[in-house]
Amino acid sequence: AHWGEQWRGQGESWRRLSRTGVLEDGRLRGSEGEDEEAAAGTGLHVKLLGVKETMKATRSRGGPRILIVCLVCLLLLTNFLWMRKVKSDEALKNAEKRISDLASKIKVLQGSLSTSQVEQETDHSRVKTLKMRISELESMIGASGGGDARPAAKVSSSLSSSSSATGSASGQMDEKRAEQRMVLAGGVDGSSQVKPQPLPPSEPPGAAARQVVPVIIFACCRAKYLDRTLSLVLERLPKQSHTKFEIIVSQDGNDASVKSLMHGKYADIKFLEHMEPVDLSTANPNEQASYYRIAQHYGWCFNKVFSDQRYEWAIVLEDDLEVAVDFFEYMIAAAELIKKDPTLWTATAWNDNGFPSYSHDPFKLYRSDFFGGLGWLLTRKLWQELGPKWPKAYWDDWMREPKQRMGRACIRPQISRTVTFGKEGTSNGQFFESHLSKMVLNSVLVPWSTKDLSFLLKEPYDQQLSKEVEAAPVVGLHDSKATGKIFYRDHASFKGLAQSLGIMTDEKAGVPRTAYKDIVIVQRSPDHVLYLVKN
C-alpha cells in the first residue's frame, strides 16, 4: 500500500520517464532535457524493479524443487512396487516347493503301499503253502498207523491265528523251522508209536539248483533317482522264474539322503557303502576326481559281490536307469548264450542308436564289438580276468580297448531295454538332450526263455550277416525305402554319414557305436535296412 501511494504521487513523472528513458541494470538512461521530477522518480522505479526481479528469482528456484520432490516420490513408489513383486515371487516359489515336496511324499507313499501289497501277498502265499504241508503231514501220520496228530494240528491252529491277528506275521516265520517241527510232530508228546516221516518235496524238481543272481545298483548322492530306479526294478522283477534275483545297492560316499532312503523305505535290500580313499596318483591336474571314484567304487563292489560263491553272474545297473518289462528275461537268455559261446563276453540292454525312427522290432538282437553299458551283464569268469588289472579311472572306455575286449563281442537289442533319466551327474548331461533323452524303451513283454537265440552264435551270425551285406545293393543316403549299403573309408567319412542319419558319430578304440566287424546296421523302417560298411 505504501508503494502504491508513492506511485500515484509520482504518476506524471513516471509517464514522462517511460516515454523518454530506458532502464538498464538499475540505471536511468534518457535525453538531456529530462526534468528533475523525472529524475527523482527514477529511484522509486529502480526499487520496484528490484522487487519484481526478486519475485521472478523465487519463482525460477521453486520449479526445480518441485521436480525433485516429484522424482523422489516416483522412486519411492517404484521401490514399493518392486518390493511387493519380490515378496510375491518368493511366495510363489515357496508354494511350488511345497507342491513338489507333497508330490514326492505321495510318490514315496505309493511306492511303499505297492511294496507292502507285494509283501502281504507273499506272506499269504507262504502261509497257504505251510498249511498244505501240514495237511499232507497229518494224512501221512494217519496212514502210517494212527499216531497222535495233535501237535501238527496245533501248528496249523497257531499259523491260522497268527495270520488272522497280524496279517503278514506268519510270512516272517522261518520255513525251515516249520518244516523241522512238522517232521518231528509224531513224537512231540512223548509217544513212540509213530516214527518221524520224511516230508514230500517242498519245491519242484530242479529247484534246489535255482540260480541266484545279484542286481547291483550303483549310487552316490541322487536319492530321488535311486528311489525311482528301485521302484521300477522291484515292479518288473519276474513273478515266476527259476532265477532268484537279489538286489544290492552300493553307495559311493555317505550322502545322508541316500542312507535315509535305504535304511527306511528299502531296509530289506542289501546296502553296501564304499568309503575307501580314492587313489588319484595318476590323475592330471585338470581331471575330475569323480571319474576315479566311480571306477574304484565299481572294482571294490565287484570284489565284494563275487566273494559270494553263489553268484556266477551279475546284472549291473546305475541309479538313473529305467528297465523294460522284459529286462530280466532278456538278461537270463543272454547269460545262457554267453555260456555256450566263448566269443561273447557280455550283453548290454542299451542301443546307442535306439532312436524312435530306428527302433521297430522288439525281437531283434545283434552282435556288437562296441560295449554299450547302461545295464549290462558281468560273469564271475570275466571278473576274474578283469579284476586284477581293473583301472583307476574311466572303466567303461578301458573295457572297450582291444587288450580287454580281445576280439570278443556283446549282445545288444534293437530296442533298448533300459533308458536313462539322469540329466544331472558326473558327465554334466553330456549327450542327454541331443541323444540320451530321445531313446525308446521297449514296451513288449518278449518271452525270451521260449526263443531260439542260436542265430547269435558267432559262426551262423557271421555267415548270415555276410550274405545280407553282399546281397544288398549300393544305395544313396536318402533312399529310405530300400534295403542297401553305403561304404565309408574312415572315421571322418563315417561321421558325415552318421550326422546325416542322426545317429551317434563318435567311436571308441576305433569302433563306431553299435558296430560289428566295422558294419553299423540302421533299421530305417520295419522292412528296410541300411548297412554302413567300411571299405
Side-chain angles (χ1 to χ4, degrees), residues 2-23:
H2 173 74
W3 288 115
E5 292 176 1
Q6 293 294 328
W7 177 261
R8 285 192 299 271
Q10 299 296 330
E12 186 64 28
S13 298
W14 168 249
R15 283 192 293 272
R16 287 198 302 269
L17 178 64
S18 62
R19 288 195 301 268
T20 60
V22 179
L23 189 65

Side-chain angles (χ1 to χ4, degrees), residues 137-250:
L137 178 60
E138 290 175 346
S139 61
M140 290 171 59
I141 293 174
S144 64
D148 189 358
R150 285 178 295 175
K154 290 181 181 179
V155 174
S156 177
S157 175
S158 174
L159 286 171
S160 299
S161 62
S162 176
S163 176
S164 61
T166 63
S168 63
S170 298
Q172 298 174 356
M173 180 185 293
D174 187 17
E175 295 185 20
K176 292 184 178 180
R177 292 182 180 178
E179 290 174 1
Q180 292 173 359
R181 289 169 63 186
M182 288 185 284
V183 170
L184 298 175
V188 169
D189 61 349
S191 174
S192 59
Q193 295 179 359
V194 180
K195 295 181 180 180
Q197 300 293 325
L199 281 175
S202 60
E203 295 181 344
R210 187 183 185 193
Q211 64 175 342
V212 181
V213 176
V215 181
I216 308 171
I217 302 177
F218 286 98
C220 180
C221 57
R222 302 181 295 184
K224 291 183 178 179
Y225 282 9
L226 178 61
D227 186 17
R228 179 176 172 181
T229 296
L230 277 171
S231 62
L232 290 169
V233 167
L234 291 171
E235 177 185 339
R236 290 171 179 174
L237 282 173
K239 302 301 183 291
Q240 295 180 350
S241 175
H242 293 293
T243 301
K244 179 183 178 182
F245 293 98
E246 292 186 354
I247 302 174
I248 301 173
V249 173
S250 183

Side-chain angles (χ1 to χ4, degrees), residues 214-221 226 230 246-255 258-263 266-276 293 296-308 310-311 314-315:
V215 181
I216 308 171
I217 302 177
F218 286 98
C220 180
C221 57
L226 178 61
L230 277 171
E246 292 186 354
I247 302 174
I248 301 173
V249 173
S250 183
Q251 179 193 10
D252 182 30
N254 57 355
D255 182 78
V258 172
K259 283 187 175 182
S260 177
L261 179 69
M262 294 308 303
H263 293 315
Y266 300 107
D268 294 336
I269 292 177
K270 187 174 182 180
F271 181 45
L272 303 178
E273 296 178 86
H274 176 240
M275 302 296 295
E276 302 292 326
R293 292 198 64 90
Q296 293 173 41
H297 177 205
Y298 272 54
W300 174 86
C301 180
F302 291 152
N303 275 328
K304 287 279 186 181
V305 169
F306 285 112
S307 64
D308 190 329
R310 296 177 301 158
Y311 303 146
I315 293 174

Side-chain angles (χ1 to χ4, degrees), residues 16-17 20-22 28-39:
R16 287 198 302 269
L17 178 64
T20 60
V22 179
L28 181 67
R29 187 180 64 187
S31 63
E32 295 179 357
E34 296 173 338
D35 56 14
E36 292 180 0
E37 291 183 2

Side-chain angles (χ1 to χ4, degrees), residues 378-495:
L378 176 64
T379 64
R380 172 186 291 276
K381 182 179 179 181
L382 181 59
W383 177 244
Q384 290 173 346
E385 172 191 326
L386 299 178
K389 56 179 181 177
W390 190 252
K392 295 180 179 179
Y394 308 104
W395 68 270
D396 47 354
D397 285 343
W398 175 83
M399 284 189 65
R400 294 166 181 144
E401 294 176 358
K403 290 182 180 180
Q404 281 65 249
R405 190 168 66 84
M406 295 193 297
R408 293 171 292 188
C410 68
I411 303 298
R412 71 166 181 89
Q414 183 181 114
I415 305 180
S416 293
R417 264 56 186 185
T418 59
V419 292
T420 178
F421 51 84
K423 184 177 181 179
E424 300 175 359
T426 301
S427 61
N428 297 319
Q430 184 183 23
F431 299 126
F432 185 82
E433 294 295 341
S434 61
H435 289 84
L436 302 179
S437 62
K438 299 178 181 179
M439 298 298 176
V440 177
L441 182 67
N442 176 60
S443 59
V444 179
L445 182 57
V446 178
W448 291 110
S449 60
T450 65
K451 301 297 178 183
D452 181 11
L453 302 183
S454 59
F455 71 93
L456 289 168
L457 299 175
K458 181 174 175 56
E459 186 174 351
Y461 187 90
D462 290 357
Q463 291 177 355
Q464 182 63 28
L465 178 62
S466 179
K467 290 179 182 178
E468 292 176 359
V469 172
E470 289 178 1
V474 176
V475 298
L477 187 62
H478 302 290
D479 294 335
S480 59
K481 295 184 179 180
T483 293
K485 61 189 173 187
I486 299 177
F487 290 104
Y488 67 93
R489 297 183 305 279
D490 49 24
H491 179 249
S493 59
F494 171 79
K495 186 176 181 180

